[in-house]
Amino acid sequence: MEFDEARKRLVSFGIPGVEDGAARRVCDILARLLASGAVSLGELQTARDIVNRRQDVRSSAYVFLAAMFVSLRKGNTVFNLGNDENRNGKLLVDACRVNANGDEGGIAIKELERAVANIWHEAAGAVEPLKGDVIDKDDASLWFFDRQREAVAYVSTAIRGKLKPTGEMLTDAELDSVIGYRGRDGRPFALGEEQKNAVRATVKHNLSVVTGGPGTGKTTIVCSILRALLKKVDLKPADVALAAPTGRAAQRMGEALRAQCAMAECGSEADRRLCEDIGRLEGVTVHSLLGGYGPGWTYNEDNPLPHRLVVVDESSMVDLVLMRSLLAALRKDCRLVLLGDKNQLPSVEAGAVLGDLIEIGKNDGNMGAFAELTESRRFAGRLKECAGQFNRGECAAIKESRLPRPEDAKWTDALRKTDTENGCFWYELPDGHVPATTDTLLVEWANAYGLLKDGALANAARAVRNDDRAFDGECTDAARRLFSALDASRILAVVRDGPSGVDHVNELLLEERLGRYPAEPLVDDGIPVIVTKNTRTLNLFNGDVGVTVRRPGRGVHVLFPRGEKVVSCPVSKLPEHELAYAMTVHKSQGSEFENVMVVLPADYGHPLLSRQIVYTGITRAKKRAVVVGTEKALAAALRRKIERDTGIAMKKED
């Protein structure tokens, strides 16, 4: 949006509503924020409604409220004036600078910087009369919108209440009876000491948190946790709910649990029946568990959930308001087990509840309810080393694994010439490279991993065409080979737009696959698809990834893996979806692929670039990961660690 158009819209909506010199200066600032995308028109309309509640509020209050909205968009539930980026309205200018790249789109950054600096002190004072209305503050520097303030207070109090020990303990014999398994090779194995401690913690506390990186066995121990609790505290399977923030993560949780139950060593017939009962449990989204959409949930404080145990996987993705709703819906005697990777990206919406929980445990001296798993069974070598370094803001390991850029050889050849299992590599792009450079890399990756016309994915799809059992839901050998080819590689992008974004990558590779970009893209075998809307009637969920197969005489279907089964859906009935040659790193959380290519944006000032996003991207790989980007983009990601002001850990029980 151009600056002049943004200003006209504000004036037409009565923002800031008065016509004097000060108001015009405020309108100019707001127009630049709106034109850059730093704030939305809806947010500024909300600011107008807040200001109009009082007659004695100066128009400069709009600038402070805009800063609060920008902060909330960044994931902060509290606007902390004590933070460096919030002093003098710096975050407003930074939000525009990142999105506008200087003067692009009519947004004069230098003018905005001067205008905000001149008015910021007045703006911070002008908002004081609004305190206690729609916004409030805890002290001189912590400001909240009412909804977030109430959620912070509720979650903080509820968490501290649930952290109190139950007094119950597992004996060694009881623990031994739930930790034994047999692998797919038939060999026996047992949970490690870290995993055993995690099981003990879930019995000892009403609220327990299990955190760990990829391959450390967070999901593996769910079966043992359920077996222990169902035996120890007389729970029944009907008392248990399994949930996750997304539909696909919920499905994966149920699938993993069934696999673990099938491998469990059972000492008696009763144990065997218990495992069978546990294996029938299905995961649901947290939204489905609560019923509908907030704030009008079916289950709440007045109508609590019937369950006595709720297990939430991928809990790093649960935002503050959703966690508040979940805690409010729990019975007083309900246990809550949260699983997640504290180093992954936090939730899209405001809050960083998993990290706050760990801080509360440290601050209150109650770390017995928290178990961290560090021993990975599938994640080792340079891949593990790079992930650890990224968390510390270092990159020596990945720079040592810089891939060559030979003029006369394909860069992917380097991956096949050496023993690259558990490897993490960097393909450095030159500063100022043209988009065609990235396009060439993307096409070569797609060819190397069989994503295009004559590759393994299309060939595997053709082999399933006449396999009626696969279309009827059976995971046949041909279907397994298809899904193996689908998960052999995935391109993960940080952003959706631009030459390094998901949308461009998908369009580029589809054109390469078909020789054109048709109006209906799902017209041939072997095209990956991701569902973007939960559709329970079709047994399809947001995040499900499938692949197209042309069924003779019946049109194109998309086959989706569902544990030991297959979900088949005709393209004509497919719910909202996108191509899935590439996905955002956010969307990939909880997924695993053999090989991963992480594409960094050329704009090294992009707000999404962070340590967490690169860590999350490379840890989706089971065998090898390649990070593609300029040195400036890599350095920017390392410098920025997403830190959120939420107020939960510092909020004491009233």
Side-chain angles (χ1 to χ4, degrees), residues 410-413 415-416 441-452 455-456 488-489 595:
K410 295 180 179 180
W411 67 277
T412 50
D413 288 346
L415 297 179
R416 292 189 288 271
L441 299 177
L442 293 165
V443 171
E444 188 174 329
W445 174 274
N447 274 313
Y449 289 103
L451 298 178
L452 298 183
S489 75
N595 306 279

Side-chain angles (χ1 to χ4, degrees), residues 181 184 219 222-223 226 242 248 250-264 275-283 539 562-565:
Y181 297 88
R184 289 184 172 84
T219 308
V222 173
C223 182
L226 294 180
L242 306 178
R248 184 64 191 115
Q251 286 293 322
R252 280 193 297 266
M253 188 182 187
E255 292 164 7
L257 181 60
R258 282 187 286 280
Q260 290 302 315
C261 288
M263 294 189 294
C275 279
E276 288 178 351
D277 289 341
I278 292 173
R280 295 188 186 98
L281 294 172
E282 296 284 350
N539 195 21
R562 183 72 81 242
E564 290 303 308
K565 294 186 179 298

Side-chain angles (χ1 to χ4, degrees), residues 34-56:
L34 179 60
S36 73
V39 293
S40 69
L41 183 59
E43 288 166 338
L44 293 179
Q45 287 174 298
T46 300
R48 176 199 61 196
D49 296 341
I50 294 172
V51 170
N52 287 348
R53 289 169 181 260
R54 301 286 297 269
Q55 299 297 316
D56 56 344

Side-chain angles (χ1 to χ4, degrees), residues 559-609:
L559 299 187
F560 297 87
R562 183 72 81 242
E564 290 303 308
K565 294 186 179 298
V566 173
V567 174
S568 174
C569 182
V571 165
S572 59
K573 294 183 179 179
L574 201 62
E576 293 178 18
H577 60 277
E578 300 172 351
L579 295 173
Y581 289 110
M583 329 168 38
T584 62
V585 176
H586 277 89
K587 203 77 162 172
S588 74
Q589 290 186 93
S591 299
E592 294 178 355
F593 312 102
E594 295 289 310
N595 306 279
V596 165
M597 178 182 182
V598 181
V599 185
L600 306 183
D603 176 10
Y604 57 87
H606 199 284
L608 288 180
L609 265 180

Side-chain angles (χ1 to χ4, degrees), residues 116-190:
V116 171
N118 289 336
I119 204 171
W120 183 252
H121 182 72
E122 178 188 331
V127 81
E128 283 287 339
L130 297 170
K131 184 177 68 175
D133 193 354
V134 180
I135 62 173
D136 210 339
K137 67 177 182 177
D138 269 1
D139 57 27
S141 62
L142 302 181
W143 285 85
F144 295 83
F145 287 109
D146 275 0
R147 186 187 188 204
Q148 279 69 39
R149 178 186 174 87
E150 189 278 334
V152 164
Y154 191 98
V155 170
S156 180
T157 301
I159 284 172
R160 288 183 165 92
K162 278 198 168 292
L163 279 173
K164 296 171 183 175
T166 62
E168 293 165 335
M169 302 282 286
L170 275 180
T171 67
D172 290 343
E174 289 170 332
L175 182 62
D176 288 342
S177 71
V178 299
I179 63 170
Y181 297 88
R182 285 191 177 273
R184 289 184 172 84
D185 58 4
R187 295 181 180 180
F189 71 92

Side-chain angles (χ1 to χ4, degrees), residues 56-58 60 142 178 180 186 222 466-467 483 490 504 586 616:
D56 56 344
V57 180
R58 296 190 298 275
S60 55
L142 302 181
V178 299
V222 173
N466 296 305
D467 190 343
F483 299 140
R490 193 61 45 86
H504 172 73
H586 277 89
T616 302

